[in-house]
Amino acid sequence: MTFLSFNYFLLLSITFVAYYAVNNNYKYWIIFLASMIFVTSISVNALQFSLLYAGLNYLGGLSLYKKKENSNSRKFIFWVLISLNIGILIFFKYINFIFENINSLFEIFQTSSKIELINLILPVGISYYTFQAVGYLIRINRGFEIPEKNFIRFSSFLLFFPKFLSGPVERSNHFLPQLCNLNSFNQDAVSVGLRLILLGTFKKMVIADNLFSPISSVYSNVHHYSGIPLISVLFLQLIYIYCDFSGYTDIALGSAKILGIDIIDNFKRPFLAKTITEFWKRWHISLSSWCNEFIFLPFIIKYRKLGNIASILGIFVTFLVIGIWHGANWTFIVLGLLQASAIIYEFFTRRYRLRVASKFPIWFINSISRILVFIFMGISIVFFFSKSLSDAWYFLSHLFTNIDYKFSGYELNINLQNFATAICCFIVLFIIEMMNEKGNNLSTFFCKQSKWIRWIIYYIMIILIYFFNTKILSFTYGNF
Amino acid sequence: MKKYTLRILTFCLPFIVLWLLIFIIDPYNLFNVSTIIDNETKYKILNRSEESESRGQMLWHALEFERNPCKNIIIGDSQSFLIKTDLIKNLSGNDYFNFSVSGANAETKFEIFWLATRRIKLNHVIIQLSYMLGDVNIFHFAKDYLDQPLLYFTDSKILFDTFQNIRYKLTGSYSKDESTYVFPFTFDGEKKVNNLLNKYVKYAYPIKQMEKLKLIVNYCKINNITIDFLILPMNQFVYDYFALNDTNNFQKKFISELTSLGKTYDYSTIYNLNINKKYFIDYLHPNQFITDKSNTLILEKKTIYNN
């Protein structure tokens, strides 16, 4: 069941009605049941696995809390639980990658040994709920959080259906208190939720999906392309992944919102970031802030004696984790390391860059910085989409070879009408984001308009979705 | 909450009306309840353009076959489109279902075969194949709607078809595009035909498709289904083009491989009639006379007619 299916719409509608029909004390049961139905729709095995996983962390959290702080037994239980969580993730997601690399080493050393790859099915959403569970255990271990005693509530946190497939990576201290205090029907919250679902569907179906064809054409056979098609894709892919993932996130946020639950947003106008450091504070926020809280900060605190070296190592480790989190491939590792290098470069050249910037008008510096961030991220994302490092290298090394200025878009399977519509809609979206960045709260302004104006805009969005959708139902981040 | 629900329902009213319209007109007989528009009109409307005929015929035939499955089936593309099942019934006494879909490539035809086997125990299958096997599988035009019938209401193309049907009902007219490959050559027409043929000249030998075909042949053997292959003629211009590009061996290999798999009715140069344009609708499609002639020959079990 994907977000863009009738079954999801039906599940959400039934959940909505049942949720507001029952007493506030039992609302979390509805959330739990809806989540179970959602996971079962993926597969019964997924349900069994995720319930076992939730059970492990539920009991783990309780037993951890019972032990004295700083006691050896607590440390032992904590590390066993963390190792189990990470071990499960590594087993399902990275074991074949590790075996493949060991086999490559065997080949290099010309030994006849070979490890057979394991035929595994990756449990859907595992990267997301593993990080959520690990965060929960770390917070309990630090004494920042009391474990949830109700298993139904805890499972609802870990397996909440709007965020089950592709996040956001929610924090227990943000989500669980809401489950204990579920409110009655709130018209404003439901309206905001429905608007978010519409906006997310629009971003995904009108913008992202109509930009997907050239990206998929190039990456499925990158060696057939050079010059303008590659340059076009370099610029399109970041817009595509943003609209695809933020579209998904909006639908997740909206679905939760209509049930009166707030979940962490993933995006805050990332194209307006002026540095890579700032970009990562605006892009996939739930993951980057999770890594900041549970990897980077503990790391630099532990090695604070090393000074700047601790920060540099901390950044590398954090982005290595972010890179690997995306998947078992060297391309993702390079993606992470590229980000780390850029952030470290910004850290050490900050004063020099500020001195240079002071000689130019601020609007000029802002624009140039944003363009440079966009180009850098475009180049980085090549490693996100490429199947291998050699493909990524081919892509980047053939950007300026065989440039044919008569490029018509034909070779990229572009449907010009849909493509133009997607680009126009993205420009409108970008302008709205720019206005919001400048402090104009367009959302409040929009809500103050008469019902008819709002409805006309909703209808236009729905008509565009109706006529320009390409029936792609899956989300890129659903693969993680 | 009541007020709010009412407001949402009011907001959804235009969509409910549209969905009702689609349900009533039912351009592909998915529900097969309403008879406001007759089948002949619906079929004419879905054949109005190259885009609509591929997806339209695919869905139409799939739904029709679901409702009225037939043990004997002809699977093909636009070349076998004109095969008259009535004529075959008169000659053979058996019912046949013509599941020919414009633009169907080899894989589309294979998927149609598997769709048919899921629905009924087949007795006789004729698969019309072409040297030009095509590279776009259009089976999803049926599969999408068979798997998710609600897509029928949310697909803008179905809405367009619905409106074309309403327009025809009200005005008696509808917009029809001309075929790309129609005689005589215009500059654009020649360019399009050359582009298409050029694509096939560059086409690699369809090894994968042949493997899939072998699976089908094996299945037919195990399940006692008679399977025959049919190759219908194209205008001589097409063969000359292939000869010019030195791809004749490719075609010979294709036909010989087909013959090794099952009875192959190769009418590609039937009585040498393909030299004469009057026997063709356009460069790629034989007319009714040649199609009927081919049918008669099939039923007489005469396989190769080169001279």
Side-chain angles (χ1 to χ4, degrees):
Chain A
M1 190 191 295
T2 74
F3 278 178
L4 301 174
S5 64
F6 176 76
N7 290 347
Y8 182 77
F9 172 75
L10 193 69
L11 174 71
L12 191 63
S13 309
I14 293 169
T15 307
F16 176 78
V17 173
Y19 182 82
Y20 288 113
V22 301
N23 185 294
N24 284 357
N25 296 332
Y26 300 103
K27 284 191 194 309
Y28 68 91
W29 269 98
I30 302 294
I31 289 175
F32 174 76
L33 287 174
S35 300
M36 292 305 101
I37 292 168
F38 184 81
V39 181
T40 312
S41 78
I42 297 163
S43 79
V44 177
N45 287 345
L47 177 76
Q48 289 168 347
F49 179 82
S50 51
L51 274 178
L52 270 172
Y53 191 85
L56 168 81
N57 285 290
Y58 167 74
L59 294 172
L62 288 174
S63 57
L64 194 63
Y65 186 69
K66 278 179 194 160
K67 303 290 173 194
K68 255 189 184 176
E69 266 188 70
N70 293 324
S71 65
N72 283 339
S73 58
R74 181 157 169 151
K75 276 181 194 165
F76 176 76
I77 291 176
F78 173 70
W79 283 112
V80 165
L81 287 169
I82 297 293
S83 307
L84 266 174
N85 275 293
I86 304 295
I88 290 169
L89 182 64
I90 288 174
F91 178 74
F92 280 106
K93 202 167 173 177
Y94 305 104
I95 197 76
N96 281 334
F97 175 64
I98 295 167
F99 286 172
E100 276 169 15
N101 283 285
I102 294 172
N103 286 340
S104 303
L105 281 178
F106 285 154
E107 271 178 34
I108 289 168
F109 293 109
Q110 293 179 334
T111 54
S112 57
S113 318
K114 196 183 173 192
I115 306 172
E116 286 297 315
L117 301 186
I118 306 169
N119 193 7
L120 285 171
I121 298 169
L122 181 72
V124 184
I126 189 168
S127 304
Y128 296 93
Y129 56 74
T130 300
F131 271 38
Q132 292 174 63
V134 168
Y136 169 75
L137 294 172
I138 294 175
R139 288 186 64 82
I140 292 172
N141 187 49
R142 286 178 186 170
F144 294 170
E145 194 166 332
I146 298 167
E148 175 57 55
K149 290 190 179 93
N150 186 320
F151 177 69
I152 302 300
R153 278 206 188 99
F154 179 76
S155 305
S156 304
F157 151 63
L158 217 54
L159 313 175
F160 184 44
F161 69 98
K163 66 173 179 65
F164 181 77
L165 288 177
S166 308
V169 183
E170 186 55 71
R171 303 301 148 70
S172 48
N173 58 323
H174 179 248
F175 194 89
L176 283 168
Q178 293 186 70
L179 280 188
C180 300
N181 192 22
L182 294 167
N183 296 317
S184 306
F185 181 77
N186 178 333
Q187 187 179 316
D188 291 339
V190 175
S191 295
V192 170
L194 290 174
R195 264 201 296 277
L196 274 170
I197 292 173
L198 179 60
L199 180 65
T201 311
F202 181 81
K203 279 184 190 171
K204 158 77 181 156
M205 295 185 101
V206 180
I207 306 177
D209 288 353
N210 285 307
L211 301 181
F212 179 67
S213 169
I215 296 165
S216 134
S217 303
V218 163
Y219 283 104
S220 57
N221 210 345
V222 72
H223 296 273
H224 277 195
Y225 297 91
S226 63
I228 300 286
L230 294 185
I231 295 172
S232 315
V233 167
L234 185 85
F235 287 105
L236 286 178
Q237 57 193 358
L238 198 59
I239 299 173
Y240 161 75
I241 196 73
Y242 170 64
C243 292
D244 185 86
F245 193 25
S246 76
Y248 166 87
T249 307
D250 285 342
I251 299 172
L253 259 65
S255 305
K257 190 78 185 170
I258 64 170
L259 303 176
I261 293 172
D262 286 315
I263 48 179
I264 302 171
D265 198 355
N266 264 336
F267 296 94
K268 195 184 168 195
R269 306 181 283 280
F271 293 130
L272 296 169
K274 296 187 279 278
T275 60
I276 302 298
T277 314
E278 191 189 346
F279 183 89
W280 279 99
K281 287 176 183 163
R282 292 166 176 262
W283 181 277
H284 206 168
I285 298 168
S286 67
L287 176 68
S288 54
S289 64
W290 188 97
C291 289
N292 184 52
E293 187 181 341
F294 298 113
I295 299 172
F296 180 70
L297 289 177
F299 189 92
I300 58 165
I301 288 168
K302 190 168 184 185
Y303 299 102
R304 58 187 174 275
K305 283 178 192 165
L306 297 173
N308 278 348
I309 293 172
S311 303
I312 293 169
L313 287 174
I315 290 167
F316 266 116
V317 170
T318 306
F319 277 95
L320 193 66
V321 171
I322 290 180
I324 293 173
W325 177 89
H326 283 91
N329 196 329
W330 284 101
T331 51
F332 292 119
I333 295 173
V334 173
L335 172 71
L337 295 180
L338 266 177
Q339 307 310 302
S341 309
I343 289 170
I344 290 163
Y345 164 80
E346 284 176 354
F347 178 72
F348 282 108
T349 59
R350 192 165 173 270
R351 279 187 195 165
Y352 170 74
R353 286 185 295 111
L354 281 175
R355 209 164 49 234
V356 173
S358 63
K359 292 171 189 163
F360 296 96
I362 196 153
W363 65 266
F364 176 76
I365 287 298
N366 284 349
S367 309
I368 291 291
S369 305
R370 282 168 182 156
I371 291 167
L372 286 176
V373 167
F374 185 82
I375 292 171
F376 177 80
M377 286 313 300
I379 291 169
S380 303
I381 292 291
V382 170
F383 291 91
F384 179 93
F385 284 109
S386 292
K387 288 174 195 153
S388 65
L389 283 181
S390 62
D391 279 6
W393 177 246
Y394 176 90
F395 188 111
L396 294 172
S397 59
H398 285 74
L399 280 172
F400 301 106
T401 52
N402 302 328
I403 289 186
D404 176 8
Y405 293 101
K406 276 185 254 165
F407 173 67
S408 61
Y410 169 74
E411 56 262 59
L412 290 177
N413 295 323
I414 288 175
N415 174 335
L416 278 179
Q417 195 188 3
N418 286 25
F419 183 77
T421 308
I423 293 291
C424 290
C425 291
F426 175 73
I427 292 169
V428 172
L429 187 73
F430 185 67
I431 292 169
I432 292 170
E433 293 199 343
M434 272 173 60
M435 290 171 78
N436 278 332
E437 181 80 1
K438 285 186 176 169
N440 304 306
N441 193 341
L442 286 191
S443 166
T444 316
F445 174 77
F446 178 76
C447 293
K448 279 181 189 164
Q449 302 305 307
S450 76
K451 185 175 86 177
W452 298 110
I453 291 175
R454 279 184 284 131
W455 280 27
I456 286 169
I457 291 171
Y458 298 147
Y459 280 131
I460 290 172
M461 287 172 80
I462 293 169
I463 288 167
L464 284 171
I465 292 169
Y466 199 80
F467 286 101
F468 290 96
N469 79 74
T470 56
K471 295 198 200 111
I472 302 171
L473 301 177
S474 57
F475 291 85
T476 300
Y477 265 75
N479 301 329
F480 307 133
Chain B
M1 193 174 177
K2 254 184 200 170
K3 199 180 153 191
Y4 193 73
T5 313
L6 205 67
R7 195 193 281 185
I8 289 177
L9 282 176
T10 317
F11 179 82
C12 293
L13 204 62
F15 303 107
I16 295 167
V17 171
L18 279 182
W19 293 335
L20 259 176
L21 218 55
I22 291 172
F23 178 78
I24 293 166
I25 301 298
D26 195 6
Y28 293 93
N29 291 341
L30 177 71
F31 308 103
N32 208 24
V33 179
S34 153
T35 51
I36 289 179
I37 304 218
D38 59 277
N39 286 352
E40 206 179 316
T41 304
K42 288 178 184 177
Y43 199 63
K44 193 157 64 179
I45 298 289
L46 69 86
N47 282 311
R48 68 187 182 277
S49 69
E50 275 174 25
E51 181 275 324
S52 67
E53 69 182 2
S54 286
R55 67 179 169 82
Q57 286 171 13
M58 188 70 241
L59 181 59
W60 180 274
H61 288 319
L63 293 172
E64 182 69 22
F65 192 83
E66 281 285 312
R67 271 192 301 274
N68 304 307
C70 184
K71 285 184 168 189
N72 306 308
I73 185 171
I74 300 155
I75 301 171
D77 54 40
S78 51
Q79 283 195 305
S80 53
F81 189 68
L82 292 178
I83 291 179
K84 283 181 188 165
T85 46
D86 296 349
L87 175 72
I88 298 181
K89 191 176 179 181
N90 282 341
L91 294 169
S92 70
N94 292 324
D95 278 322
Y96 275 78
F97 187 95
N98 185 356
F99 208 136
S100 295
V101 178
S102 298
N105 73 347
E107 267 148 9
T108 311
K109 292 169 195 174
F110 302 157
E111 293 210 52
I112 291 172
F113 171 83
W114 294 117
L115 175 89
T117 56
R118 282 194 293 272
R119 187 70 185 90
I120 194 170
K121 165 80 179 71
L122 291 170
N123 185 34
H124 184 204
V125 184
I126 300 173
I127 303 185
Q128 175 265 319
L129 284 163
S130 166
Y131 161 55
M132 298 157 64
L133 288 171
D135 56 357
V136 181
N137 184 347
I138 56 166
F139 184 71
H140 68 93
F141 287 131
K143 192 177 182 297
D144 288 350
Y145 299 98
L146 293 175
D147 291 350
Q148 307 168 61
L150 287 158
L151 203 63
Y152 202 64
F153 293 106
T154 57
D155 190 338
S156 56
K157 284 171 182 153
I158 303 288
L159 186 68
F160 273 127
D161 295 334
T162 306
F163 279 118
Q164 285 288 350
N165 273 290
I166 295 172
R167 181 182 161 190
Y168 188 81
K169 183 84 185 166
L170 296 176
T171 66
S173 69
Y174 67 104
S175 54
K176 185 166 171 36
D177 291 355
E178 207 170 73
S179 163
T180 314
Y181 312 109
V182 76
F183 297 129
F185 262 169
T186 59
F187 177 71
D188 267 2
E190 185 174 358
K191 219 168 103 182
K192 279 178 183 169
V193 171
N194 281 341
N195 268 346
L196 180 92
L197 296 180
N198 212 12
K199 202 165 117 185
Y200 290 103
V201 166
K202 287 179 189 168
Y203 209 66
Y205 192 77
I207 299 165
K208 275 186 191 168
Q209 283 96 328
M210 289 318 243
E211 288 302 316
K212 286 182 182 174
L213 191 59
K214 280 174 193 165
L215 285 179
I216 289 178
V217 170
N218 279 341
Y219 177 87
C220 288
K221 268 183 197 161
I222 294 165
N223 293 282
N224 288 329
I225 302 167
T226 312
I227 181 163
D228 298 330
F229 304 112
L230 169 65
I231 297 171
L232 285 168
M234 291 184 278
N235 184 250
Q236 189 58 37
F237 170 85
V238 178
Y239 298 114
D240 290 346
Y241 192 94
F242 289 146
L244 203 70
N245 288 281
D246 206 20
T247 54
N248 281 349
N249 287 342
F250 183 94
Q251 193 183 1
K252 276 179 194 162
K253 186 182 171 190
F254 173 69
I255 292 170
S256 93
E257 200 166 346
L258 273 189
T259 313
S260 72
L261 289 174
K263 189 173 271 179
T264 304
Y265 298 97
D266 175 17
Y267 301 144
S268 49
T269 52
I270 182 171
Y271 298 131
N272 283 335
L273 292 177
N274 51 341
I275 296 164
N276 197 334
K277 279 183 185 176
K278 78 173 184 180
Y279 294 118
F280 290 85
I281 300 168
D282 55 37
Y283 289 99
L284 306 176
H285 302 103
N287 69 3
Q288 194 66 58
F289 173 78
I290 296 230
T291 313
D292 290 350
K293 196 78 197 160
S294 306
N295 295 346
T296 319
L297 291 172
I298 291 171
L299 294 162
E300 287 169 8
K301 306 233 180 256
K302 293 182 178 170
T303 49
I304 301 173
Y305 282 82
N306 284 330
N307 296 303

